[in-house]
Amino acid sequence: MNRKSSARSGPYKVMLVDDSSVIRGLLSRWLGADPAIEIVASVGNGQVALNSLERTDPEIVVLDIEMPVMDGLTALPLILKAKPDVQVLMSSTLTAKNAKVSLQAMSLGAADYIPKPTTNREVITSRSFQTEIIEKVKNLAASKRKLLGYRPFKEETDAKSAPEQDVAKPAPVSKPKTLVTRKASLTAPRIIGVGSSTGGPQALLKFLNGIKDGLNLPVVITQHMPSSFTKILAGHLSKATGLDCIEAEDKTLLENGKVYIAPGDHHMVIKNDGGNRYLRLNQDPPENFCRPAVDPMFRSISDEFGSGSLCVILTGMGQDGLKGSKYVVDNGGTIVAQDQETSVVWGMPGAVSEAGICHAILPLDEIGGKIQRLVKGR
């Protein structure tokens, strides 16, 4: 069995790249304790990672940003050039500088980022960081295997009961089930709501570039991100699209043609005061383990705009947005979702697609055009 084939069977193969031996040790213990994960390399800088790629053949590389010899941002494109199918998860501390670098890394091809606590002591005691990195590694690896035609780990048959040459073969590709789609609302859209998570920053960029010409509706976005990242994301999107994208503040008045990003650690909802619609921020309990969450935003959109609600679910892990999307459709609104092939993780869009509540399930580069046609009544 060659190394390339073996990387597509059994546990997900992970390489850790971090200059802190303490962090590498912790991640090795946490990730290695999960039966779905195998640590194939643990190295201290980007150059060593590059030198180890062919020998270890990882599916996921957890890549620190700040390292000696070769930092993460320098190593990233070289890793992707050497192994185009590898998923790179950037690991960065919660600083404005690293938020900018993380967004830059995703524009260069990183699949996602994991915000880690600032100090080793905080990393050691952070249960949420431990849970998040395990979930992200497994979801990214499973999604990539599915796209390549291989079974995710949980679907693997017992290797002992199958001939060795068969274990590494791609899983039989079953005919995809037909997903039910619904007619769009006959009411002209009056707002565009967007939910996204893993892989979202780059998806949002493409989506907004696809709808920006003649945009005359407000756009509200919930992207799962920590508070130190969302303002940076808004600035990044503004610069890259030419749209007026801002991190929302409490009691911000909704204006046509503007894009509002929910700030990290706050749900964003729409309220009405004498006909004036504005944004309210709150720190109500997380929904779907998320704050900000898509569901409360979608519910508030539907309450205020009814059948004039047009909502989009982009790439993301989990099922946030499913209940809110059902609420939108029950009130006459329209849902559009990103397809599996172009999603970094088809969790969120997959959930609404398989629920049969979408008007359309499309590749990312076709969603903007579809939204424009719906807005123009075509």
Side-chain angles (χ1 to χ4, degrees), residues 306-348:
S307 58
S309 305
L310 175 55
C311 294
V312 180
I313 295 285
L314 299 177
T315 176
M317 189 169 69
Q319 293 193 337
D320 187 27
L322 174 59
K323 292 180 180 178
S325 294
K326 288 179 177 177
Y327 192 83
V328 168
V329 170
D330 287 344
N331 286 327
T334 302
I335 300 293
V336 174
Q338 186 175 352
D339 71 358
Q340 183 171 7
E341 288 69 27
T342 62
S343 294
V344 174
V345 175
W346 205 53
M348 289 165 54

Short mmCIF file of all heavy atoms in Angstrom, two decimals, residues 306-348:
data_model
loop_
_atom_site.label_atom_id
_atom_site.label_comp_id
_atom_site.label_asym_id
_atom_site.label_seq_id
_atom_site.Cartn_x
_atom_site.Cartn_y
_atom_site.Cartn_z
N GLY A 306 -40.92 39.12 6.53
CA GLY A 306 -41.84 38.09 6.06
C GLY A 306 -41.42 37.47 4.74
O GLY A 306 -40.29 37.00 4.58
N SER A 307 -42.34 37.48 3.76
CA SER A 307 -42.06 36.86 2.46
C SER A 307 -41.04 37.64 1.65
O SER A 307 -40.59 37.17 0.60
CB SER A 307 -43.35 36.71 1.66
OG SER A 307 -43.98 37.97 1.47
N GLY A 308 -40.64 38.82 2.13
CA GLY A 308 -39.59 39.59 1.48
C GLY A 308 -38.20 39.24 1.98
O GLY A 308 -37.23 39.95 1.69
N SER A 309 -38.09 38.15 2.72
CA SER A 309 -36.79 37.71 3.28
C SER A 309 -36.08 36.81 2.28
O SER A 309 -36.64 35.83 1.80
CB SER A 309 -37.00 36.94 4.59
OG SER A 309 -37.74 37.70 5.52
N LEU A 310 -34.84 37.13 1.97
CA LEU A 310 -34.00 36.31 1.09
C LEU A 310 -32.73 35.98 1.87
O LEU A 310 -31.93 36.86 2.20
CB LEU A 310 -33.66 37.08 -0.19
CG LEU A 310 -32.68 36.41 -1.16
CD1 LEU A 310 -33.17 35.02 -1.57
CD2 LEU A 310 -32.49 37.29 -2.40
N CYS A 311 -32.55 34.70 2.19
CA CYS A 311 -31.44 34.30 3.05
C CYS A 311 -30.56 33.24 2.37
O CYS A 311 -31.06 32.40 1.61
CB CYS A 311 -31.96 33.75 4.38
SG CYS A 311 -32.81 35.00 5.38
N VAL A 312 -29.27 33.32 2.67
CA VAL A 312 -28.27 32.47 2.03
C VAL A 312 -27.45 31.76 3.10
O VAL A 312 -27.01 32.38 4.06
CB VAL A 312 -27.34 33.32 1.13
CG1 VAL A 312 -26.31 32.44 0.45
CG2 VAL A 312 -28.14 34.11 0.10
N ILE A 313 -27.25 30.46 2.90
CA ILE A 313 -26.39 29.69 3.79
C ILE A 313 -25.15 29.26 3.02
O ILE A 313 -25.24 28.53 2.03
CB ILE A 313 -27.11 28.44 4.34
CG1 ILE A 313 -28.28 28.83 5.25
CG2 ILE A 313 -26.13 27.56 5.12
CD1 ILE A 313 -27.87 29.32 6.61
N LEU A 314 -24.00 29.74 3.48
CA LEU A 314 -22.73 29.39 2.86
C LEU A 314 -22.00 28.34 3.69
O LEU A 314 -22.47 27.92 4.74
CB LEU A 314 -21.87 30.65 2.71
CG LEU A 314 -22.46 31.78 1.84
CD1 LEU A 314 -21.54 32.99 1.85
CD2 LEU A 314 -22.70 31.29 0.41
N THR A 315 -20.84 27.95 3.24
CA THR A 315 -20.03 26.90 3.86
C THR A 315 -19.90 27.07 5.37
O THR A 315 -19.78 28.18 5.88
CB THR A 315 -18.62 26.88 3.22
OG1 THR A 315 -17.80 25.94 3.88
CG2 THR A 315 -17.96 28.25 3.32
N GLY A 316 -19.94 25.95 6.09
CA GLY A 316 -19.81 26.04 7.54
C GLY A 316 -20.05 24.70 8.22
O GLY A 316 -20.73 23.83 7.68
N MET A 317 -19.49 24.57 9.39
CA MET A 317 -19.58 23.35 10.19
C MET A 317 -20.82 23.42 11.08
O MET A 317 -21.18 24.48 11.58
CB MET A 317 -18.32 23.25 11.04
CG MET A 317 -18.12 21.96 11.78
SD MET A 317 -16.45 21.89 12.47
CE MET A 317 -16.52 23.15 13.74
N GLY A 318 -21.49 22.29 11.26
CA GLY A 318 -22.64 22.24 12.15
C GLY A 318 -23.95 22.47 11.44
O GLY A 318 -24.05 22.34 10.21
N GLN A 319 -24.97 22.86 12.21
CA GLN A 319 -26.32 23.05 11.65
C GLN A 319 -26.90 24.41 11.98
O GLN A 319 -28.11 24.62 11.84
CB GLN A 319 -27.26 21.96 12.15
CG GLN A 319 -26.92 20.57 11.65
CD GLN A 319 -28.03 19.58 11.91
OE1 GLN A 319 -28.87 19.76 12.80
NE2 GLN A 319 -28.06 18.51 11.14
N ASP A 320 -26.07 25.36 12.40
CA ASP A 320 -26.60 26.69 12.68
C ASP A 320 -27.22 27.26 11.40
O ASP A 320 -26.62 27.19 10.33
CB ASP A 320 -25.48 27.61 13.18
CG ASP A 320 -26.01 28.96 13.65
OD1 ASP A 320 -27.19 29.03 14.06
OD2 ASP A 320 -25.24 29.94 13.60
N GLY A 321 -28.40 27.80 11.53
CA GLY A 321 -29.12 28.34 10.37
C GLY A 321 -30.26 27.46 9.90
O GLY A 321 -31.14 27.92 9.19
N LEU A 322 -30.26 26.18 10.31
CA LEU A 322 -31.32 25.27 9.87
C LEU A 322 -32.68 25.68 10.42
O LEU A 322 -33.65 25.85 9.68
CB LEU A 322 -30.99 23.85 10.28
CG LEU A 322 -32.09 22.81 10.01
CD1 LEU A 322 -32.44 22.75 8.53
CD2 LEU A 322 -31.65 21.43 10.51
N LYS A 323 -32.76 25.86 11.74
CA LYS A 323 -34.05 26.24 12.34
C LYS A 323 -34.50 27.62 11.86
O LYS A 323 -35.68 27.84 11.57
CB LYS A 323 -33.94 26.21 13.86
CG LYS A 323 -33.77 24.81 14.45
CD LYS A 323 -33.67 24.86 15.96
CE LYS A 323 -33.50 23.47 16.55
NZ LYS A 323 -33.37 23.50 18.03
N GLY A 324 -33.55 28.55 11.75
CA GLY A 324 -33.90 29.87 11.27
C GLY A 324 -34.36 29.85 9.82
O GLY A 324 -35.28 30.58 9.44
N SER A 325 -33.76 29.00 9.01
CA SER A 325 -34.16 28.88 7.61
C SER A 325 -35.57 28.30 7.49
O SER A 325 -36.37 28.74 6.65
CB SER A 325 -33.16 28.00 6.85
OG SER A 325 -31.90 28.62 6.76
N LYS A 326 -35.87 27.30 8.32
CA LYS A 326 -37.23 26.75 8.32
C LYS A 326 -38.24 27.83 8.69
O LYS A 326 -39.33 27.92 8.10
CB LYS A 326 -37.32 25.59 9.30
CG LYS A 326 -36.60 24.32 8.84
CD LYS A 326 -36.72 23.21 9.88
CE LYS A 326 -36.05 21.93 9.39
NZ LYS A 326 -36.11 20.85 10.43
N TYR A 327 -37.88 28.68 9.63
CA TYR A 327 -38.76 29.77 10.06
C TYR A 327 -38.98 30.74 8.90
O TYR A 327 -40.10 31.21 8.66
CB TYR A 327 -38.12 30.47 11.25
CG TYR A 327 -39.01 31.45 11.99
CD1 TYR A 327 -39.91 31.00 12.95
CD2 TYR A 327 -38.92 32.81 11.74
CE1 TYR A 327 -40.71 31.90 13.64
CE2 TYR A 327 -39.71 33.72 12.42
CZ TYR A 327 -40.61 33.27 13.37
OH TYR A 327 -41.40 34.15 14.05
N VAL A 328 -37.91 31.05 8.19
CA VAL A 328 -38.00 31.96 7.03
C VAL A 328 -38.96 31.39 5.99
O VAL A 328 -39.84 32.08 5.47
CB VAL A 328 -36.61 32.20 6.42
CG1 VAL A 328 -36.72 32.88 5.05
CG2 VAL A 328 -35.75 33.05 7.35
N VAL A 329 -38.78 30.11 5.66
CA VAL A 329 -39.61 29.47 4.64
C VAL A 329 -41.06 29.37 5.09
O VAL A 329 -41.99 29.59 4.31
CB VAL A 329 -39.04 28.08 4.28
CG1 VAL A 329 -40.01 27.29 3.41
CG2 VAL A 329 -37.70 28.23 3.57
N ASP A 330 -41.27 29.05 6.36
CA ASP A 330 -42.65 28.97 6.88
C ASP A 330 -43.37 30.30 6.77
O ASP A 330 -44.60 30.34 6.66
CB ASP A 330 -42.63 28.51 8.34
CG ASP A 330 -42.29 27.03 8.49
OD1 ASP A 330 -42.35 26.30 7.48
OD2 ASP A 330 -41.95 26.61 9.61
N ASN A 331 -42.63 31.39 6.79
CA ASN A 331 -43.22 32.73 6.67
C ASN A 331 -43.17 33.26 5.24
O ASN A 331 -43.36 34.45 5.01
CB ASN A 331 -42.52 33.71 7.61
CG ASN A 331 -42.92 33.49 9.06
OD1 ASN A 331 -44.05 33.10 9.35
ND2 ASN A 331 -41.99 33.72 9.97
N GLY A 332 -42.87 32.37 4.29
CA GLY A 332 -42.95 32.75 2.88
C GLY A 332 -41.66 33.23 2.25
O GLY A 332 -41.66 33.62 1.08
N GLY A 333 -40.56 33.23 2.99
CA GLY A 333 -39.29 33.71 2.45
C GLY A 333 -38.56 32.67 1.62
O GLY A 333 -39.05 31.55 1.42
N THR A 334 -37.37 33.03 1.17
CA THR A 334 -36.61 32.20 0.23
C THR A 334 -35.22 31.90 0.78
O THR A 334 -34.56 32.78 1.34
CB THR A 334 -36.46 32.94 -1.12
OG1 THR A 334 -37.76 33.25 -1.64
CG2 THR A 334 -35.70 32.09 -2.14
N ILE A 335 -34.79 30.64 0.61
CA ILE A 335 -33.46 30.20 1.07
C ILE A 335 -32.65 29.69 -0.13
O ILE A 335 -33.16 28.92 -0.95
CB ILE A 335 -33.57 29.05 2.10
CG1 ILE A 335 -34.36 29.51 3.34
CG2 ILE A 335 -32.18 28.55 2.50
CD1 ILE A 335 -33.68 30.57 4.17
N VAL A 336 -31.39 30.11 -0.19
CA VAL A 336 -30.44 29.62 -1.20
C VAL A 336 -29.23 29.08 -0.44
O VAL A 336 -28.78 29.69 0.54
CB VAL A 336 -30.02 30.73 -2.18
CG1 VAL A 336 -28.92 30.24 -3.11
CG2 VAL A 336 -31.23 31.21 -2.97
N ALA A 337 -28.69 27.94 -0.89
CA ALA A 337 -27.56 27.32 -0.19
C ALA A 337 -26.41 27.03 -1.15
O ALA A 337 -26.61 26.79 -2.35
CB ALA A 337 -27.99 26.03 0.49
N GLN A 338 -25.20 27.03 -0.60
CA GLN A 338 -24.01 26.65 -1.35
C GLN A 338 -23.96 25.14 -1.50
O GLN A 338 -24.35 24.39 -0.60
CB GLN A 338 -22.76 27.15 -0.61
CG GLN A 338 -21.45 26.94 -1.36
CD GLN A 338 -20.28 27.57 -0.64
OE1 GLN A 338 -20.44 28.29 0.35
NE2 GLN A 338 -19.08 27.29 -1.12
N ASP A 339 -23.47 24.66 -2.64
CA ASP A 339 -23.43 23.22 -2.87
C ASP A 339 -22.24 22.56 -2.18
O ASP A 339 -21.34 23.23 -1.67
CB ASP A 339 -23.46 22.89 -4.37
CG ASP A 339 -22.15 23.24 -5.08
OD1 ASP A 339 -21.22 23.77 -4.45
OD2 ASP A 339 -22.07 22.98 -6.30
N GLN A 340 -22.25 21.23 -2.17
CA GLN A 340 -21.23 20.48 -1.44
C GLN A 340 -19.85 20.61 -2.08
O GLN A 340 -18.83 20.73 -1.39
CB GLN A 340 -21.62 19.00 -1.36
CG GLN A 340 -20.63 18.16 -0.55
CD GLN A 340 -21.14 16.76 -0.30
OE1 GLN A 340 -22.17 16.35 -0.83
NE2 GLN A 340 -20.42 16.01 0.52
N GLU A 341 -19.82 20.61 -3.40
CA GLU A 341 -18.53 20.61 -4.10
C GLU A 341 -17.72 21.86 -3.84
O GLU A 341 -16.48 21.80 -3.82
CB GLU A 341 -18.75 20.43 -5.61
CG GLU A 341 -19.18 19.04 -6.03
CD GLU A 341 -20.60 18.68 -5.59
OE1 GLU A 341 -21.43 19.60 -5.42
OE2 GLU A 341 -20.87 17.48 -5.40
N THR A 342 -18.36 23.00 -3.63
CA THR A 342 -17.62 24.24 -3.42
C THR A 342 -17.54 24.66 -1.96
O THR A 342 -16.92 25.68 -1.65
CB THR A 342 -18.23 25.39 -4.25
OG1 THR A 342 -19.58 25.64 -3.81
CG2 THR A 342 -18.22 25.07 -5.74
N SER A 343 -18.14 23.89 -1.07
CA SER A 343 -18.09 24.21 0.37
C SER A 343 -16.84 23.61 1.00
O SER A 343 -16.51 22.46 0.72
CB SER A 343 -19.32 23.66 1.09
OG SER A 343 -20.51 24.30 0.66
N VAL A 344 -16.17 24.37 1.85
CA VAL A 344 -15.06 23.80 2.62
C VAL A 344 -15.60 22.72 3.55
O VAL A 344 -15.02 21.64 3.67
CB VAL A 344 -14.34 24.91 3.41
CG1 VAL A 344 -13.27 24.31 4.33
CG2 VAL A 344 -13.70 25.91 2.45
N VAL A 345 -16.72 23.01 4.20
CA VAL A 345 -17.45 22.01 5.01
C VAL A 345 -18.93 22.18 4.69
O VAL A 345 -19.47 23.28 4.79
CB VAL A 345 -17.21 22.22 6.52
CG1 VAL A 345 -18.07 21.26 7.32
CG2 VAL A 345 -15.74 21.99 6.87
N TRP A 346 -19.58 21.09 4.31
CA TRP A 346 -20.99 21.16 3.90
C TRP A 346 -21.90 20.80 5.06
O TRP A 346 -22.82 20.02 4.92
CB TRP A 346 -21.24 20.23 2.72
CG TRP A 346 -22.41 20.63 1.86
CD1 TRP A 346 -22.64 21.84 1.28
CD2 TRP A 346 -23.52 19.81 1.47
NE1 TRP A 346 -23.80 21.83 0.55
CE2 TRP A 346 -24.37 20.59 0.65
CE3 TRP A 346 -23.86 18.49 1.72
CZ2 TRP A 346 -25.54 20.09 0.08
CZ3 TRP A 346 -25.03 17.99 1.16
CH2 TRP A 346 -25.86 18.78 0.35
N GLY A 347 -21.63 21.38 6.22
CA GLY A 347 -22.47 21.13 7.37
C GLY A 347 -23.72 22.00 7.36
O GLY A 347 -24.85 21.52 7.25
N MET A 348 -23.52 23.31 7.44
CA MET A 348 -24.65 24.25 7.48
C MET A 348 -25.46 24.24 6.18
O MET A 348 -26.68 24.06 6.21
CB MET A 348 -24.14 25.66 7.81
CG MET A 348 -23.69 25.80 9.25
SD MET A 348 -22.72 27.30 9.58
CE MET A 348 -23.78 28.61 8.97
#
